[in-house]
Amino acid sequence: MYDCLKGKFKARFKRDAKWIFSAPGRTELGGNHTDHQNGIVLAAAVNLDSKAAVAPNGENIIRVFSETYPMCEISLPPKPACRQEFGSTYAIIKGVAAGFSRLGCPVHGFDAYVCSDVLPGSGLSSSAAFEVLMGVIINHMGGFGLSPAEIAKIGKYAENVYFGKPCGLMDQMASSVGNIIEIDFKDPDNPSIQAVDFDFSSCGHALCIIDSGASHADLTHCYAAVPQELKSICRFFGRDVLRDIPEKEFYENIVPLRKAAGDRAVLRAIHVYEENKRAAAEAEALKIGNFEEFLRLVQQSGASSWQLLQNVIPEGRTEKQEMAFALALAEHLLNGRGAVRVHGGGFAGTVQAFVPNDMLSNFRDGIEKVLGKGSCHVLYVRPFGGALLEEC
């Protein structure tokens, strides 16, 4: 098994691999834009992953080669973060190694050949999968025995401090833990993680991720405006995040809030309050096996993201509204069945649909006839997270 990956490792490093590791991409099932307000998220690992063939090299160097970026060589022990390295693969690898070192776990040198089928720019978090992959390799080689949650936190540390991106912990946690999990970020440094025991393969629906064809380029201001406007709500109350403001207190002050922060900020806050409750209810519906209720809540989430959070159509766009069009097309093809919602950050990227199995072929054909071949990806929930797949 994995002979192709082993062969590529041998061709690159002139010796045999010792292990094959894997870490999955993830999908957000519920909790759209709630994590940065210390809210509740429902997420799942998916069957697309980053894999690595690995062998120790007996040196104080980590070498990682991938088909999508040049060879990276990191000296050990890892040096402090460097602003000039922000945004690079090199920074992520160095940051993960540094995350182990700061816990007193000495990192050993290794060579790795990495391949990935986690779709870039799809909201499936290829970066988190790579971070978790590096973490699982280092953890196994050192025999450190860190838990999946601890590996996820190291991935977040690497992305925040070394890569220079102020992300939350949802992506790394979903990739590291696997299956379906409910995450409550009330304490963002130590979030509560609950496994959701649900066999997705038995629900009679396929999970589809649809590429809208829209680019994330030039949309930074759209993404930044969401947390900025929510911060304006929080400043009114002298709090840091919306989770710290009781919903009753929010509504009691809604008149002066509209004047202080503007209507869109107020509407976005309403979405977050409702979406937190909805994400928890979605998790509960799956725990008791009520998939129809889960679908109803997913559809509500999608409507709230469009109407209240307003992360479907980029501000000022009229002619190009790809996300809105993809949502409308999916709704039309589902014809009242299943559910569809904006996926991830919104404004561009992907749509998530739960499609009844008896409709899947026609649904996929209908999407790809309009949006192009390969635009509809049928995924499965992966029951495990970052892991050693094989000892060679």
Side-chain angles (χ1 to χ4, degrees), residues 80-278:
C82 173
R83 184 172 292 275
Q84 285 72 30
E85 296 166 359
F86 279 8
S88 68
T89 303
Y90 179 91
I92 287 179
I93 301 167
K94 190 168 83 167
V96 172
F100 277 88
S101 294
R102 69 198 290 261
L103 294 179
C105 301
V107 180
H108 304 286
F110 63 89
D111 297 334
Y113 190 105
V114 176
C115 64
S116 178
D117 58 4
V118 184
L119 311 167
S122 63
L124 299 176
S125 201
S126 56
S127 59
F130 182 75
E131 290 156 10
V132 170
L133 180 67
M134 292 297 108
V136 170
I137 292 169
I138 293 170
N139 192 45
H140 179 83
M141 286 188 59
F144 300 129
L146 270 61
S147 69
E150 289 170 318
I151 291 173
K153 290 176 184 178
I154 288 174
K156 177 181 180 293
Y157 169 79
E159 192 153 346
N160 292 170
V161 177
Y162 279 75
F163 190 76
K165 181 180 177 181
C167 69
L169 188 59
M170 176 183 73
D171 296 351
Q172 294 86 355
M173 197 68 76
S175 176
S176 191
V177 174
N179 206 6
I180 303 173
I181 55 172
E182 179 186 6
I183 313 172
D184 188 336
F185 288 102
K186 186 173 183 178
D187 179 355
D189 294 324
N190 293 287
S192 168
I193 307 161
Q194 288 191 13
V196 177
D197 186 15
F198 180 79
D199 181 7
F200 191 84
S201 65
S202 68
C203 70
H205 286 69
L207 168 61
C208 294
I209 297 296
I210 301 159
D211 185 354
S212 69
S215 170
H216 293 88
D218 302 322
L219 294 178
T220 301
H221 66 288
C222 292
Y223 296 112
V226 176
Q228 285 171 359
E229 291 180 10
L230 293 173
K231 280 186 181 298
S232 70
I233 299 285
C234 295
R235 280 196 299 270
F236 180 92
F237 293 97
R239 315 285 169 78
D240 292 326
V241 290
L242 208 60
R243 183 67 178 267
D244 295 336
I245 305 166
E247 188 176 0
K248 183 174 183 291
E249 187 178 349
F250 168 81
Y251 277 104
E252 286 174 346
N253 289 275
I254 204 162
V255 173
L257 264 179
R258 291 180 65 196
K259 294 178 181 177
D263 282 348
R264 190 170 70 171
V266 170
L267 291 170
R268 284 174 162 170
I270 292 171
H271 163 82
V272 173
Y273 281 116
E274 296 299 322
E275 189 76 347
N276 276 326
K277 290 181 282 188
R278 200 158 29 235

Side-chain angles (χ1 to χ4, degrees), residues 15-36:
R15 67 187 194 283
D16 292 330
K18 185 172 183 179
W19 306 286
I20 304 294
F21 294 92
S22 163
R26 69 98 187 103
T27 185
E28 170 204 286
L29 300 180
N32 194 224
H33 278 276
T34 54
D35 58 336
H36 54 73

Side-chain angles (χ1 to χ4, degrees), residues 32 208-214 298-307 310-314 321-355 363 367 370-371:
N32 194 224
C208 294
I209 297 296
I210 301 159
D211 185 354
S212 69
V298 167
Q299 195 69 28
Q300 279 190 0
S301 172
S304 179
S305 292
W306 194 335
Q307 296 166 10
Q310 300 178 44
N311 69 332
V312 171
I313 301 173
Q321 298 186 358
E322 297 96 335
M323 282 290 289
F325 179 80
L327 285 164
L329 177 62
E331 290 260 15
H332 169 72
L333 293 170
L334 285 171
N335 194 27
R337 299 180 65 191
V340 62
R341 67 193 281 269
V342 61
H343 183 239
F347 300 111
T350 54
V351 164
Q352 181 186 75
F354 295 89
V355 183
F363 179 86
I367 291 291
V370 178
L371 298 181

